[in-house]
Amino acid sequence: MSSLALTCGDPAGIGPEVIGSWLAAHPHEAREVAVLGPRRWLDGLALHGAQPVPAGEPQFIAKLGEPSVEGARAALAAMERAAAGTLSGEFSGVVTGPVSKSWLQKAGYPFPGQTEFFADRWGGEPTMAFCGGRLRVVLLTWHIPLREVPNQLTEPNIARAVLAADELARAEGVARPRIGVCGLNPHAGEGGMLGTEERDIIDPALDRLRTTFPALSRSEPSDTIFGRSLRGEFDVIVALYHDQGLAPLKTIDFDEAVNVTLGLKHVRTSPDHGTAFGIAGKGVASPRSFANAVTVARRLIKLRSRQ
């Protein structure tokens, strides 16, 4: 049986730290994973039976809390090794440690995030989603400027996000997902008084999709829909842009939420936090999001194996 790959993320951040915490807390599960990162870090890591997979410059060792181009290259090398190993069948899926987008850019990285990287390497139409805590959220758009969001509100994009929301909820055991969809404008446009995207684009698309997804809402005011979800009205929310979905999610579920990339040929999850260079090595980083990312990845891999 192939292993689940765990990439180090930026080795100057908290990724290596939370991986080490997870390995120590889950020694029996550790035997079923492969840990990817710089050789010198792997040599000093208590692997608890996990498979070490060196990636990048053999002699490189990061200084915790001090990001560098070399560290970004190490993170990228681990990602490349994980992507290739999953394609070959060596790995069953990937849980990625957090990276610094700005430092990756300095290292010549052409993508806005890890989601786009794995989409390029594996193929597919990615959708960014989050679960693991009290909220489930799917993003229709993510790493684009806010002014470009209205142009992306097309019927195919709306359908892709709704399909991903249905898949995410079903993977978590919801047989008939109730999907809530955020509006773009205040009060979901107030019937066209505060914006026409809901009336002219979003709601007509949702009305057509409802024949396939009968528990799909119309566009709902985004200032209340997340509270309604917490009270049990919806199983999963489709947000139209990055901060619309992630501001409430990170307020409620910062230590538990998991980033899930749906729509690709293989499973990829990640903890829903950044590199946190400021606290790296201080022993205060929470491993809960990473632990949930491993659990969710395994659940998705198992679900796909049955399909």
mmCIF file of all heavy atoms in Angstrom, residues 59-94:
data_model
loop_
_atom_site.group_PDB
_atom_site.id
_atom_site.type_symbol
_atom_site.label_atom_id
_atom_site.label_comp_id
_atom_site.label_asym_id
_atom_site.label_seq_id
_atom_site.Cartn_x
_atom_site.Cartn_y
_atom_site.Cartn_z
ATOM 1 N N GLN A 59 22.743 19.277 1.982
ATOM 2 C CA GLN A 59 23.395 19.883 3.145
ATOM 3 C C GLN A 59 22.636 21.071 3.731
ATOM 4 O O GLN A 59 23.060 21.637 4.735
ATOM 5 C CB GLN A 59 24.815 20.331 2.762
ATOM 6 C CG GLN A 59 25.726 19.190 2.330
ATOM 7 C CD GLN A 59 25.818 18.098 3.380
ATOM 8 O OE1 GLN A 59 25.988 18.373 4.571
ATOM 9 N NE2 GLN A 59 25.695 16.852 2.945
ATOM 10 N N PHE A 60 21.521 21.442 3.110
ATOM 11 C CA PHE A 60 20.838 22.646 3.575
ATOM 12 C C PHE A 60 20.176 22.417 4.930
ATOM 13 O O PHE A 60 19.554 21.385 5.180
ATOM 14 C CB PHE A 60 19.761 23.066 2.565
ATOM 15 C CG PHE A 60 18.889 24.195 3.053
ATOM 16 C CD1 PHE A 60 19.386 25.492 3.105
ATOM 17 C CD2 PHE A 60 17.599 23.964 3.497
ATOM 18 C CE1 PHE A 60 18.596 26.536 3.575
ATOM 19 C CE2 PHE A 60 16.805 24.994 3.957
ATOM 20 C CZ PHE A 60 17.303 26.288 3.998
ATOM 21 N N ILE A 61 20.309 23.397 5.810
ATOM 22 C CA ILE A 61 19.568 23.395 7.065
ATOM 23 C C ILE A 61 19.087 24.813 7.326
ATOM 24 O O ILE A 61 19.843 25.784 7.195
ATOM 25 C CB ILE A 61 20.417 22.870 8.242
ATOM 26 C CG1 ILE A 61 19.549 22.735 9.503
ATOM 27 C CG2 ILE A 61 21.636 23.758 8.487
ATOM 28 C CD1 ILE A 61 20.192 21.912 10.592
ATOM 29 N N ALA A 62 17.814 24.937 7.639
ATOM 30 C CA ALA A 62 17.215 26.258 7.818
ATOM 31 C C ALA A 62 17.425 26.768 9.233
ATOM 32 O O ALA A 62 17.596 25.986 10.179
ATOM 33 C CB ALA A 62 15.723 26.186 7.514
ATOM 34 N N LYS A 63 17.395 28.077 9.372
ATOM 35 C CA LYS A 63 17.353 28.711 10.686
ATOM 36 C C LYS A 63 15.905 29.069 10.972
ATOM 37 O O LYS A 63 15.284 29.832 10.227
ATOM 38 C CB LYS A 63 18.234 29.957 10.699
ATOM 39 C CG LYS A 63 19.722 29.664 10.553
ATOM 40 C CD LYS A 63 20.544 30.940 10.647
ATOM 41 C CE LYS A 63 22.035 30.633 10.514
ATOM 42 N NZ LYS A 63 22.859 31.876 10.601
ATOM 43 N N LEU A 64 15.378 28.499 12.032
ATOM 44 C CA LEU A 64 13.968 28.708 12.344
ATOM 45 C C LEU A 64 13.666 30.189 12.517
ATOM 46 O O LEU A 64 14.393 30.909 13.205
ATOM 47 C CB LEU A 64 13.594 27.941 13.603
ATOM 48 C CG LEU A 64 13.620 26.416 13.474
ATOM 49 C CD1 LEU A 64 13.359 25.759 14.819
ATOM 50 C CD2 LEU A 64 12.594 25.949 12.448
ATOM 51 N N GLY A 65 12.586 30.625 11.866
ATOM 52 C CA GLY A 65 12.182 32.023 11.948
ATOM 53 C C GLY A 65 12.908 32.941 11.006
ATOM 54 O O GLY A 65 12.641 34.148 10.994
ATOM 55 N N GLU A 66 13.819 32.396 10.184
ATOM 56 C CA GLU A 66 14.597 33.214 9.255
ATOM 57 C C GLU A 66 14.402 32.688 7.834
ATOM 58 O O GLU A 66 15.184 31.873 7.352
ATOM 59 C CB GLU A 66 16.076 33.213 9.626
ATOM 60 C CG GLU A 66 16.358 33.809 10.996
ATOM 61 C CD GLU A 66 17.832 33.882 11.325
ATOM 62 O OE1 GLU A 66 18.660 33.833 10.371
ATOM 63 O OE2 GLU A 66 18.177 33.990 12.510
ATOM 64 N N PRO A 67 13.338 33.139 7.147
ATOM 65 C CA PRO A 67 13.075 32.647 5.791
ATOM 66 C C PRO A 67 14.164 33.070 4.820
ATOM 67 O O PRO A 67 14.858 34.072 5.025
ATOM 68 C CB PRO A 67 11.733 33.294 5.441
ATOM 69 C CG PRO A 67 11.658 34.512 6.302
ATOM 70 C CD PRO A 67 12.349 34.142 7.583
ATOM 71 N N SER A 68 14.299 32.287 3.754
ATOM 72 C CA SER A 68 15.336 32.551 2.761
ATOM 73 C C SER A 68 14.914 31.952 1.429
ATOM 74 O O SER A 68 13.999 31.119 1.362
ATOM 75 C CB SER A 68 16.661 31.924 3.197
ATOM 76 O OG SER A 68 16.547 30.502 3.248
ATOM 77 N N VAL A 69 15.592 32.354 0.380
ATOM 78 C CA VAL A 69 15.351 31.763 -0.937
ATOM 79 C C VAL A 69 15.697 30.277 -0.910
ATOM 80 O O VAL A 69 14.995 29.449 -1.503
ATOM 81 C CB VAL A 69 16.162 32.505 -2.013
ATOM 82 C CG1 VAL A 69 16.101 31.757 -3.347
ATOM 83 C CG2 VAL A 69 15.630 33.922 -2.205
ATOM 84 N N GLU A 70 16.769 29.927 -0.192
ATOM 85 C CA GLU A 70 17.160 28.521 -0.099
ATOM 86 C C GLU A 70 16.062 27.692 0.567
ATOM 87 O O GLU A 70 15.782 26.561 0.171
ATOM 88 C CB GLU A 70 18.473 28.379 0.672
ATOM 89 C CG GLU A 70 19.692 28.909 -0.049
ATOM 90 C CD GLU A 70 19.793 30.434 -0.007
ATOM 91 O OE1 GLU A 70 19.041 31.077 0.778
ATOM 92 O OE2 GLU A 70 20.614 30.982 -0.762
ATOM 93 N N GLY A 71 15.434 28.268 1.608
ATOM 94 C CA GLY A 71 14.340 27.569 2.268
ATOM 95 C C GLY A 71 13.144 27.397 1.355
ATOM 96 O O GLY A 71 12.488 26.343 1.350
ATOM 97 N N ALA A 72 12.839 28.419 0.561
ATOM 98 C CA ALA A 72 11.738 28.316 -0.391
ATOM 99 C C ALA A 72 12.018 27.233 -1.425
ATOM 100 O O ALA A 72 11.119 26.476 -1.815
ATOM 101 C CB ALA A 72 11.514 29.663 -1.071
ATOM 102 N N ARG A 73 13.267 27.145 -1.861
ATOM 103 C CA ARG A 73 13.630 26.095 -2.819
ATOM 104 C C ARG A 73 13.494 24.708 -2.203
ATOM 105 O O ARG A 73 13.105 23.751 -2.878
ATOM 106 C CB ARG A 73 15.055 26.331 -3.317
ATOM 107 C CG ARG A 73 15.185 27.526 -4.257
ATOM 108 C CD ARG A 73 16.629 27.803 -4.604
ATOM 109 N NE ARG A 73 16.738 28.945 -5.506
ATOM 110 C CZ ARG A 73 17.828 29.717 -5.611
ATOM 111 N NH1 ARG A 73 18.897 29.458 -4.852
ATOM 112 N NH2 ARG A 73 17.840 30.733 -6.452
ATOM 113 N N ALA A 74 13.813 24.588 -0.931
ATOM 114 C CA ALA A 74 13.642 23.304 -0.246
ATOM 115 C C ALA A 74 12.166 22.919 -0.180
ATOM 116 O O ALA A 74 11.796 21.756 -0.389
ATOM 117 C CB ALA A 74 14.236 23.379 1.162
ATOM 118 N N ALA A 75 11.313 23.900 0.112
ATOM 119 C CA ALA A 75 9.875 23.639 0.139
ATOM 120 C C ALA A 75 9.383 23.188 -1.228
ATOM 121 O O ALA A 75 8.594 22.241 -1.350
ATOM 122 C CB ALA A 75 9.127 24.891 0.591
ATOM 123 N N LEU A 76 9.860 23.865 -2.279
ATOM 124 C CA LEU A 76 9.448 23.519 -3.635
ATOM 125 C C LEU A 76 9.951 22.133 -4.028
ATOM 126 O O LEU A 76 9.231 21.359 -4.677
ATOM 127 C CB LEU A 76 9.947 24.569 -4.620
ATOM 128 C CG LEU A 76 9.631 24.333 -6.101
ATOM 129 C CD1 LEU A 76 8.128 24.172 -6.315
ATOM 130 C CD2 LEU A 76 10.169 25.483 -6.951
ATOM 131 N N ALA A 77 11.175 21.799 -3.630
ATOM 132 C CA ALA A 77 11.719 20.476 -3.954
ATOM 133 C C ALA A 77 10.869 19.377 -3.333
ATOM 134 O O ALA A 77 10.616 18.338 -3.961
ATOM 135 C CB ALA A 77 13.163 20.373 -3.459
ATOM 136 N N ALA A 78 10.399 19.592 -2.117
ATOM 137 C CA ALA A 78 9.536 18.606 -1.471
ATOM 138 C C ALA A 78 8.200 18.493 -2.205
ATOM 139 O O ALA A 78 7.659 17.390 -2.380
ATOM 140 C CB ALA A 78 9.320 18.983 -0.011
ATOM 141 N N MET A 79 7.650 19.617 -2.643
ATOM 142 C CA MET A 79 6.406 19.599 -3.396
ATOM 143 C C MET A 79 6.571 18.849 -4.717
ATOM 144 O O MET A 79 5.711 18.047 -5.109
ATOM 145 C CB MET A 79 5.927 21.030 -3.651
ATOM 146 C CG MET A 79 5.480 21.766 -2.405
ATOM 147 S SD MET A 79 5.463 23.574 -2.624
ATOM 148 C CE MET A 79 4.387 23.763 -4.048
ATOM 149 N N GLU A 80 7.675 19.126 -5.416
ATOM 150 C CA GLU A 80 7.925 18.453 -6.694
ATOM 151 C C GLU A 80 8.049 16.942 -6.494
ATOM 152 O O GLU A 80 7.490 16.153 -7.267
ATOM 153 C CB GLU A 80 9.202 18.996 -7.336
ATOM 154 C CG GLU A 80 9.113 20.427 -7.830
ATOM 155 C CD GLU A 80 8.409 20.568 -9.177
ATOM 156 O OE1 GLU A 80 7.733 19.613 -9.616
ATOM 157 O OE2 GLU A 80 8.525 21.650 -9.786
ATOM 158 N N ARG A 81 8.768 16.558 -5.451
ATOM 159 C CA ARG A 81 8.947 15.126 -5.183
ATOM 160 C C ARG A 81 7.613 14.476 -4.833
ATOM 161 O O ARG A 81 7.318 13.348 -5.258
ATOM 162 C CB ARG A 81 9.939 14.956 -4.033
ATOM 163 C CG ARG A 81 10.236 13.512 -3.648
ATOM 164 C CD ARG A 81 11.006 12.794 -4.744
ATOM 165 N NE ARG A 81 11.353 11.450 -4.318
ATOM 166 C CZ ARG A 81 10.515 10.388 -4.387
ATOM 167 N NH1 ARG A 81 9.307 10.543 -4.884
ATOM 168 N NH2 ARG A 81 10.905 9.194 -3.981
ATOM 169 N N ALA A 82 6.786 15.172 -4.059
ATOM 170 C CA ALA A 82 5.482 14.630 -3.684
ATOM 171 C C ALA A 82 4.569 14.497 -4.898
ATOM 172 O O ALA A 82 3.873 13.487 -5.059
ATOM 173 C CB ALA A 82 4.842 15.526 -2.633
ATOM 174 N N ALA A 83 4.562 15.525 -5.756
ATOM 175 C CA ALA A 83 3.705 15.491 -6.948
ATOM 176 C C ALA A 83 4.103 14.352 -7.871
ATOM 177 O O ALA A 83 3.245 13.597 -8.353
ATOM 178 C CB ALA A 83 3.774 16.828 -7.679
ATOM 179 N N ALA A 84 5.397 14.193 -8.114
ATOM 180 C CA ALA A 84 5.876 13.138 -9.000
ATOM 181 C C ALA A 84 5.628 11.760 -8.394
ATOM 182 O O ALA A 84 5.215 10.822 -9.089
ATOM 183 C CB ALA A 84 7.366 13.333 -9.285
ATOM 184 N N GLY A 85 5.871 11.628 -7.095
ATOM 185 C CA GLY A 85 5.668 10.342 -6.439
ATOM 186 C C GLY A 85 4.215 9.908 -6.416
ATOM 187 O O GLY A 85 3.906 8.716 -6.495
ATOM 188 N N THR A 86 3.307 10.861 -6.331
ATOM 189 C CA THR A 86 1.892 10.523 -6.362
ATOM 190 C C THR A 86 1.473 10.088 -7.759
ATOM 191 O O THR A 86 0.713 9.133 -7.929
ATOM 192 C CB THR A 86 1.040 11.715 -5.887
ATOM 193 O OG1 THR A 86 1.510 12.145 -4.605
ATOM 194 C CG2 THR A 86 -0.418 11.333 -5.762
ATOM 195 N N LEU A 87 1.982 10.769 -8.771
ATOM 196 C CA LEU A 87 1.680 10.369 -10.143
ATOM 197 C C LEU A 87 2.156 8.949 -10.439
ATOM 198 O O LEU A 87 1.499 8.193 -11.151
ATOM 199 C CB LEU A 87 2.332 11.344 -11.129
ATOM 200 C CG LEU A 87 1.642 12.689 -11.344
ATOM 201 C CD1 LEU A 87 2.501 13.579 -12.230
ATOM 202 C CD2 LEU A 87 0.259 12.498 -11.977
ATOM 203 N N SER A 88 3.303 8.575 -9.891
ATOM 204 C CA SER A 88 3.867 7.248 -10.154
ATOM 205 C C SER A 88 3.229 6.149 -9.318
ATOM 206 O O SER A 88 3.484 4.969 -9.557
ATOM 207 C CB SER A 88 5.377 7.270 -9.887
ATOM 208 O OG SER A 88 5.642 7.381 -8.490
ATOM 209 N N GLY A 89 2.417 6.526 -8.329
ATOM 210 C CA GLY A 89 1.811 5.532 -7.454
ATOM 211 C C GLY A 89 2.601 5.258 -6.195
ATOM 212 O O GLY A 89 2.178 4.449 -5.360
ATOM 213 N N GLU A 90 3.732 5.926 -6.027
ATOM 214 C CA GLU A 90 4.526 5.748 -4.810
ATOM 215 C C GLU A 90 3.788 6.276 -3.586
ATOM 216 O O GLU A 90 3.875 5.710 -2.492
ATOM 217 C CB GLU A 90 5.861 6.478 -4.975
ATOM 218 C CG GLU A 90 6.787 6.376 -3.776
ATOM 219 C CD GLU A 90 8.077 7.162 -3.965
ATOM 220 O OE1 GLU A 90 8.228 7.830 -5.021
ATOM 221 O OE2 GLU A 90 8.922 7.118 -3.055
ATOM 222 N N PHE A 91 3.063 7.390 -3.766
ATOM 223 C CA PHE A 91 2.297 7.995 -2.686
ATOM 224 C C PHE A 91 0.811 7.962 -3.027
ATOM 225 O O PHE A 91 0.431 8.097 -4.191
ATOM 226 C CB PHE A 91 2.740 9.447 -2.449
ATOM 227 C CG PHE A 91 4.211 9.616 -2.235
ATOM 228 C CD1 PHE A 91 4.931 10.570 -2.953
ATOM 229 C CD2 PHE A 91 4.901 8.827 -1.323
ATOM 230 C CE1 PHE A 91 6.291 10.732 -2.766
ATOM 231 C CE2 PHE A 91 6.259 8.975 -1.130
ATOM 232 C CZ PHE A 91 6.961 9.931 -1.850
ATOM 233 N N SER A 92 -0.021 7.834 -2.012
ATOM 234 C CA SER A 92 -1.469 7.788 -2.220
ATOM 235 C C SER A 92 -2.089 9.170 -2.257
ATOM 236 O O SER A 92 -3.223 9.345 -2.729
ATOM 237 C CB SER A 92 -2.120 6.977 -1.101
ATOM 238 O OG SER A 92 -1.809 7.531 0.173
ATOM 239 N N GLY A 93 -1.394 10.172 -1.765
ATOM 240 C CA GLY A 93 -1.867 11.547 -1.715
ATOM 241 C C GLY A 93 -0.845 12.379 -0.975
ATOM 242 O O GLY A 93 0.220 11.867 -0.575
ATOM 243 N N VAL A 94 -1.143 13.659 -0.789
ATOM 244 C CA VAL A 94 -0.158 14.582 -0.219
ATOM 245 C C VAL A 94 -0.813 15.466 0.822
ATOM 246 O O VAL A 94 -1.909 16.006 0.596
ATOM 247 C CB VAL A 94 0.475 15.485 -1.311
ATOM 248 C CG1 VAL A 94 1.529 16.406 -0.698
ATOM 249 C CG2 VAL A 94 1.081 14.644 -2.422
#
